[in-house]
Amino acid sequence: MEKKVYLGTGRRKSSVAQVKMTSGSGKITVNGRDVREFFPYETNVMDLMQPLVATNNEKTFDIEVKVNGGGFTGQTGAIRLGITRALLEYDKVNEANEDSYRKILKRAGFVTRDARIKERKKPGLKAARRAPQFSKR
């Protein structure tokens, strides 16, 4: 019998993550490598595991992630949103209940996409808002 696959796409800053979630033992791979090997800091790993910890699913699903763009923080946030969306797809039938994943994850703030992105550079300025130093004389 084929395992059911739950998909979720997450975005953060300029990173995009495609998450495939199947039932398994809790193994997470990012771009073909183990999650602890891919991310240099343990805080990144803890951050992307938050939706699984909140719903008590750390050892329930195997997660395969393809992520590109941005840095470690943006990629971590994108993966977290992707995992959240995959969990919501898994728990669709249970949505009306009081203990649904949607209510748990929404309360923790994982369902909302963080829309903050880098502001563009403006002409005549050194960066988005950084102006050249003012000289009176």
Side-chain angles (χ1 to χ4, degrees):
M1 183 170 150
E2 197 173 305
K3 287 184 179 180
K4 181 88 171 99
V5 177
Y6 302 98
L7 303 173
T9 302
R11 292 180 193 86
R12 170 86 170 92
K13 293 187 177 183
S14 61
S15 302
V16 180
Q18 296 170 316
V19 176
K20 274 187 198 175
M21 194 171 76
T22 56
S23 58
S25 59
K27 198 172 121 218
I28 301 176
T29 56
V30 180
N31 291 352
R33 293 160 53 193
D34 182 59
V35 68
R36 296 183 196 288
E37 187 185 313
F38 187 83
F39 287 111
Y41 308 112
E42 189 62 30
T43 52
N44 293 129
V45 178
M46 286 169 39
D47 194 28
L48 68 88
M49 293 280 289
Q50 284 178 330
L52 297 170
V53 172
T55 57
N56 295 322
N57 285 315
E58 301 99 0
K59 304 280 184 222
T60 314
F61 298 107
D62 284 343
I63 297 172
E64 193 177 312
V65 181
K66 275 194 248 173
V67 66
N68 62 341
F72 296 127
T73 306
Q75 289 182 349
T76 302
I79 293 170
R80 185 172 77 176
L81 182 60
I83 290 172
T84 300
R85 288 181 173 170
L87 283 168
L88 293 177
E89 189 181 315
Y90 165 76
D91 196 48
K92 244 186 181 128
V93 293
N94 199 19
E95 221 167 65
N97 291 359
E98 187 61 40
D99 60 338
S100 71
Y101 287 173
R102 180 163 200 83
K103 288 190 175 139
I104 295 167
L105 294 168
K106 185 77 174 169
R107 201 173 302 124
F110 301 141
V111 178
T112 309
R113 190 239 197 254
D114 191 347
R116 294 176 297 170
I117 57 170
K118 189 172 181 178
E119 192 175 333
R120 77 174 192 87
K121 184 191 174 301
K122 312 313 187 297
L125 301 180
K126 291 180 180 251
R129 299 183 185 197
R130 172 76 176 105
Q133 186 172 7
F134 175 74
S135 175
K136 199 166 193 174
R137 285 172 194 73

